[in-house]
Amino acid sequence: MALTLEQKKSVVAEVAEVASSAFSAVAAEYRGLTVDEMTELRKKAREGGVYLRVIKNTLARRAVQGTEFECISESLVGPLVLAFSQEDPGAAARVIKDFAKEHELLQVRFVSVGGELLPANDIERLASLPTRDQALAMLMGVMKAPIEKLARTLNEVPGKLVRTVAAIRDQKQQAA
């Protein structure tokens, strides 16, 4: 069933709104996947905070105009599913990569981050980016390390004194 002009406008507006606030985009060719497999992919995307949409390429080109994903316009060829990361830059890449491991028919075509179009094999790099919580934990670990080292160093001075006094005591006891 063909979309009316109003429906097309609403789809373009919806995708444009998502693209304007997204961190990254991944496009994959879904040719050969069953409806159940696509439903499973959509479910995993929702759980991962990823906006997933199958959209005509001409409508997608209009939707990404004026966003940082305008660079993908020329690469929109064939039946593609677009995944936009809403929460962290690697979310869409992780969802698509994990799903592609189980379903060989899903082929990643390109990745876009920060207004830059990247080849499909860069999905590994993007998927390995830490989530926001992981990044904060790593940052706190780095910030906490000097303080812990200072505390251990300051604690070592009285500890060394106690060990020295104990060694002198043991030496005197052996001599007596």
Side-chain angles (χ1 to χ4, degrees), residues 21-55:
S21 64
F23 293 108
S24 67
V26 177
E29 188 172 316
Y30 63 92
R31 186 176 291 151
L33 290 178
T34 64
V35 173
D36 291 336
E37 291 170 337
M38 284 299 289
T39 304
E40 181 185 346
L41 176 60
R42 285 184 175 103
K43 180 182 175 195
K44 288 183 179 184
R46 271 192 307 273
E47 291 169 357
V50 175
Y51 176 83
L52 193 72
R53 185 71 189 235
V54 175
I55 183 173

Side-chain angles (χ1 to χ4, degrees), residues 156-175:
E156 187 59 29
V157 173
K160 191 172 184 180
L161 176 67
V162 169
R163 286 190 300 274
T164 305
V165 170
I168 292 172
R169 181 197 66 211
D170 292 342
Q171 195 177 36
K172 286 186 178 180
Q173 284 177 350
Q174 286 177 353

Side-chain angles (χ1 to χ4, degrees), residues 15 41 50 64 77 124 161:
V15 174
L41 176 60
V50 175
V64 296
V77 178
E124 293 291 331
L161 176 67

